[in-house]
Amino acid sequence: MINTSYPIGWEGFFKAEEQKDYFKALMAFVEAEYSAGVCYPPKESIFSAFELTSPQSIKAVILGQDPYHEPGQAHGLCFSVPTEQKKLPPSLKNIFKEIAEEYGRENRRDGFLEDWARQGVLLLNTVMTVRQGSANSHKGRGWEIFTDNTVKYINTLPQSIVFMLWGAPSQKKEALLDNPLHLVLKAAHPSPLSAYRGFFGCGHFKKCNEFLEEKGVEPVNWM
């Protein structure tokens, strides 16, 4: 079975989800898909975002769509790729381009975003698994319910959190956010198909840090 044991903080959340029929059906589907062929991220990395970022440490949430579906890319954090993956996916290139524009200097080249996760940025995909070479192949099988429930849970947390919602699937989660402590930022998806329709120039990375600093929280080092 997939490992769903997590550090203190997520335990109660996962224990509740594991009892629900949708989650049992989802895990059975995921097990069958991984047994039948190649899927991403690696099975042991599906819940990496939760392992690296505890509820208490969350400063920001970035919601992607579904994992990269080509070999050597997805590892459980949205938009991130392993250090050894030298060819950055187009969406990640555009994210780095926006950060460089906002801060007026050359941005990082390494696409491994674990340092963001360890600083309190929950890097979550709306759908958390995918079949190799087939984008959105695990859509509509229960992950959306799981990530809805994750967002609802985070919405109840007592610290101020920035939600960065890029693209239509992520922006659907806005309806779940009603805690006045939090800040919701929306923009087009950073994909080359849509980045020029409002992702470039969105200013989200600076806006996030300005909000955190106003609340007395250490900003995220995006570089």
Side-chain angles (χ1 to χ4, degrees), residues 43-210:
K43 192 187 287 186
E44 67 275 8
S45 300
I46 292 173
F47 293 100
S48 290
F50 296 90
E51 294 168 356
L52 291 166
T53 311
S54 69
Q56 299 91 329
S57 71
I58 296 175
K59 299 176 182 178
V61 178
I62 295 178
L63 277 167
Q65 295 185 10
D66 69 335
Y68 299 126
H69 55 266
E70 299 302 332
Q73 295 184 329
H75 66 100
L77 304 179
C78 74
F79 296 110
S80 180
V81 292
T83 297
E84 58 269 20
Q85 179 61 251
K86 299 305 179 187
K87 185 179 179 183
L88 299 185
S91 292
L92 185 56
K93 279 185 181 176
N94 286 341
I95 289 170
F96 287 173
K97 183 177 179 181
E98 172 61 22
I99 293 171
E101 285 293 318
E102 290 184 29
Y103 285 92
R105 61 182 187 271
E106 185 69 22
N107 192 30
R108 61 192 290 160
R109 298 180 187 277
D110 184 355
F112 187 52
L113 304 181
E114 187 175 303
D115 60 302
W116 289 6
R118 293 191 181 281
Q119 290 180 76
V121 182
L122 185 70
L123 296 166
L124 189 67
N125 276 309
T126 303
V127 173
M128 294 175 60
T129 56
V130 69
R131 198 178 307 135
Q132 178 176 289
S134 183
N136 284 321
S137 49
H138 289 180
K139 181 181 178 182
R141 303 306 297 246
W143 280 123
E144 294 91 343
I145 301 171
F146 174 77
T147 51
D148 274 1
N149 291 348
T150 303
V151 170
K152 288 176 187 174
Y153 175 77
I154 297 169
N155 181 60
T156 68
L157 295 176
Q159 73 266 31
S160 293
I161 295 169
V162 181
F163 290 84
M164 300 159 83
L165 310 181
W166 301 336
S170 298
Q171 289 175 19
K172 288 178 182 176
K173 307 289 192 196
E174 183 183 15
L176 309 174
L177 300 170
D178 61 3
N179 188 333
L181 291 173
H182 305 326
L183 174 67
V184 178
L185 300 174
K186 297 186 294 182
H189 192 274
S191 157
L193 298 174
S194 56
Y196 288 95
R197 297 203 299 267
F199 179 77
F200 289 137
C202 69
H204 280 191
F205 301 95
K206 267 196 166 180
K207 287 175 183 175
C208 173
N209 277 347
E210 287 166 0

